[in-house]
Amino acid sequence: MDVQQFGTRMQRRLLIVEDHPDTAGTLAVLARCCLFRTLIAASGFMGADICSWWKPDVVLIDLSLPDIDGRAMAYAIRTVLKTAKLIAIGEGGVNAFDLEQAGFDDHVLKPVTLERLKDVLP
């Protein structure tokens, strides 16, 4: 990887919408390992607000947020950020068709590994 590629990739923005601080922090470290600038939102409403002004390229959304369902959040974000990649983060029992209908591009199961994150990030 040359310096130009490194600089271009570091301009990519990734928003993590996760209410559990340890999980959010771990995801941020993993995203930075993949050369993304990151922000963390501790709630769905905070995440939606950040999306409106920061315009992330990728949004990782916990499906079980305390203030808004992750699927509803994805649907709302999709109307504002048409080209952003939306990735659901959840426990087992995730219905891929349901997630696709909500506007998600992909999903990962917890605990998220660096290898799996690399697979789903653009």
Side-chain angles (χ1 to χ4, degrees), residues 4-120:
Q4 183 177 6
Q5 289 174 327
F6 179 81
T8 302
R9 186 70 184 255
M10 281 300 287
Q11 299 308 308
R12 309 245 338 156
R13 298 173 178 178
L14 185 141
L15 174 63
I16 299 162
V17 185
E18 168 64 59
D19 61 311
H20 191 271
D22 291 339
T23 302
T26 299
L27 288 169
V29 169
L30 294 176
R32 289 181 190 122
C33 287
C34 296
L35 304 178
F36 280 84
R37 291 183 2 205
T38 62
L39 284 181
I40 297 172
S43 72
F45 292 121
M46 182 187 298
D49 181 52
I50 291 171
C51 282
S52 70
W53 57 267
W54 198 50
K55 309 290 188 219
D57 301 295
V58 180
V59 185
L60 300 176
I61 303 171
D62 182 12
L63 292 174
S64 58
L65 295 166
D67 60 342
I68 185 172
D69 179 71
R71 290 161 189 84
M73 183 178 176
Y75 185 78
I77 289 173
R78 184 58 73 203
T79 62
V80 177
L81 299 174
K82 302 208 184 295
T83 61
K85 183 166 186 173
L86 304 183
I87 302 170
I89 305 167
E91 310 291 334
V94 174
N95 181 326
F97 179 77
D98 183 35
L99 296 178
E100 184 179 326
Q101 292 299 308
F104 285 105
D105 298 296
D106 215 328
H107 71 278
V108 294
L109 296 177
K110 292 178 182 178
V112 180
T113 64
L114 179 58
E115 292 76 26
R116 180 64 180 129
L117 195 59
K118 284 181 179 180
D119 287 343
V120 298

